[in-house]
Amino acid sequence: MELRPIEPADVDAVQALIESDPGYTERITGYPPGPADAQSLLMMRPEMLAEEAKVVLGGFEGDELVALVDLLRGYPDPSYAFIGLLQVRGDRQGCGIGRTAYRLVERFVENTWPEVRRLRLAVVDTNAKQAAPFWFRQGFEPTGEAKPYQYDQLTSTARLYEKPLCWSHPHLAVGESGIAGQGLFATAPIAAGEVVAVLAGRKVSTAELNELLQHPPVDTITLEDDLHLVLPGDPRPVIAYGNHSCDPNTWWTDAVTLTARRDIVAGEEVTSDYGTSTGVEDWQMRCSCGSDLCRGVITGSDWQRPELQDRYGDHWIPALRARQSG
């Protein structure tokens, strides 16, 4: 699927897609689709937003429009993008089109609007049975905020959902690694203490994670004893290409934030110690980092090693730090 901005020549295709799924329009307006719905979608935006802050994207398979996305940049503030609509053509629903379109939306936002750190959307109660499970699967969680919703005679409640996005330092790029496969490299100096990445993704249990690990690659960190964060997999975020090193140049400053452990020079591979973020007891991997401190095998029990506790101090993910303190 290709995701690209809708152009004037696409208006008829947009209208046809809206009409192909009348149930959605009826659930949020109380009426079937109208003949001008495509034009309304392309024009409507909050009054405080500039025209260029709104973009309507189409998911195309060849020349065929199969998905439609309405995005608002900087709403409700510059660190957010708001998803006003993600709709799949009626006869293509249940085929993974929505999931693919959403993943492309994430990549579009990350590549086009670097200041955006979170996605937000609203689910209307009259559409919640259909919409809420989908957004949960994409990693969105309710904020607890709810607002009255009314469209003519239809009265309901709109509930807000949010999802943080992975963020990577702009001076990072993927390249061939001497450690393993592809790795992450600094394209310019990064000073000690600078934030290198903020991770985000889907939260899963240990049982769910073990199932996912049967189909690598899976990029994950432990949040709690039975809760893990799995980064997006298709496409993978830039930070997911970071390799392990037993003498890394980044470390953790909270549950999802990696910062530079020391000054990182241009061209240097950017690494972390997987043992400081993995708490799955039966997990292990062989290491070929080449460091003088190389442990040979990295495990989900490395948090217990006294020499690593001394080396990294408080710079473990909080779940492992809690185990060490307990």
Side-chain angles (χ1 to χ4, degrees):
M1 181 191 298
E2 177 192 9
L3 195 69
R4 63 169 174 80
I6 290 294
E7 300 174 353
D10 300 317
V11 172
D12 288 345
V14 171
Q15 182 67 30
L17 187 147
I18 293 171
E19 292 178 359
S20 75
D21 182 23
Y24 170 74
T25 306
E26 291 170 0
R27 290 190 296 273
I28 64 167
T29 69
Y31 298 102
D37 281 2
Q39 290 288 356
S40 296
L41 173 65
L42 296 176
M43 295 174 61
M44 290 179 61
R45 68 180 190 278
E47 291 183 0
M48 74 287 292
L49 286 185
E51 182 177 350
E52 59 269 21
K54 177 185 172 78
V55 60
V56 179
L57 301 170
F60 288 85
E61 292 184 343
D63 294 330
E64 183 181 23
L65 180 66
V66 296
L68 195 58
V69 182
D70 180 31
L71 279 178
L72 299 174
R73 181 182 189 177
Y75 184 75
D77 68 48
S79 66
Y80 282 86
F82 192 94
I83 301 175
L85 171 74
L86 193 160
Q87 188 172 11
V88 175
R89 204 177 74 186
D91 62 351
R92 299 298 302 276
Q93 294 179 8
C95 302
I97 298 292
R99 181 176 65 251
T100 299
Y102 171 71
R103 288 173 177 171
L104 292 174
V105 166
E106 274 201 9
R107 179 53 59 91
F108 172 87
V109 171
E110 290 170 356
N111 291 342
T112 311
W113 301 336
E115 78 283 2
V116 171
R117 305 292 288 273
R118 304 180 76 85
L119 294 177
R120 176 177 276 214
L121 56 87
V123 174
V124 179
D125 279 357
T126 49
N127 190 45
K129 182 178 179 180
Q130 291 77 13
F134 171 82
W135 292 116
F136 275 122
R137 290 194 297 272
Q138 311 318 310
F140 282 78
E141 296 183 352
T143 67
E145 301 170 78
K147 299 181 179 181
Y149 175 89
Q150 185 161 1
Y151 189 98
D152 198 12
Q153 300 300 311
L154 188 149
T155 300
S156 187
T157 300
R159 304 184 191 277
L160 296 176
Y161 290 68
E162 284 187 6
K163 179 183 178 180
L165 294 176
C166 285
W167 178 87
S168 299
H169 196 289
H171 294 162
L172 294 180
V174 177
E176 293 300 316
S177 169
I179 297 175
Q182 291 184 302
L184 205 55
F185 293 84
T187 59
I190 299 174
E194 277 195 68
V195 174
V196 173
V198 180
L199 276 58
R202 182 162 61 101
K203 296 176 182 178
V204 300
S205 68
T206 300
E208 291 172 308
L209 177 61
N210 287 334
E211 179 66 25
L212 292 172
L213 290 172
Q214 303 304 310
H215 308 282
V218 177
D219 305 297
T220 180
I221 61 171
T222 298
L223 296 176
E224 298 174 8
D225 283 346
D226 190 34
L227 187 66
H228 309 270
L229 185 71
V230 177
L231 275 61
D234 182 20
R236 297 172 78 194
V238 168
I239 189 58
Y241 291 90
N243 278 321
H244 164 85
S245 172
C246 295
D247 187 17
N249 48 21
T250 72
W251 56 10
W252 298 96
T253 51
D254 63 33
V256 295
T257 304
L258 279 169
T259 60
R261 181 181 172 210
R262 53 179 178 262
D263 289 344
I264 301 173
V265 301
E268 183 178 354
E269 183 163 2
V270 177
T271 58
S272 65
D273 188 326
Y274 288 3
T276 63
S277 59
T278 305
V280 179
E281 296 293 340
D282 57 355
W283 174 85
Q284 66 176 35
M285 60 166 270
R286 292 196 174 277
C287 178
S288 56
C289 70
S291 161
D292 291 341
L293 300 174
C294 184
R295 305 196 292 278
V297 176
I298 313 306
T299 78
S301 301
D302 283 354
W303 59 272
Q304 300 178 62
R305 298 177 66 137
E307 77 276 17
L308 297 185
Q309 294 181 18
D310 290 342
R311 183 179 306 155
Y312 297 126
D314 291 335
H315 296 280
W316 301 72
I317 59 169
L320 297 184
R321 189 67 182 139
R323 292 185 191 180
Q324 293 166 346
S325 301

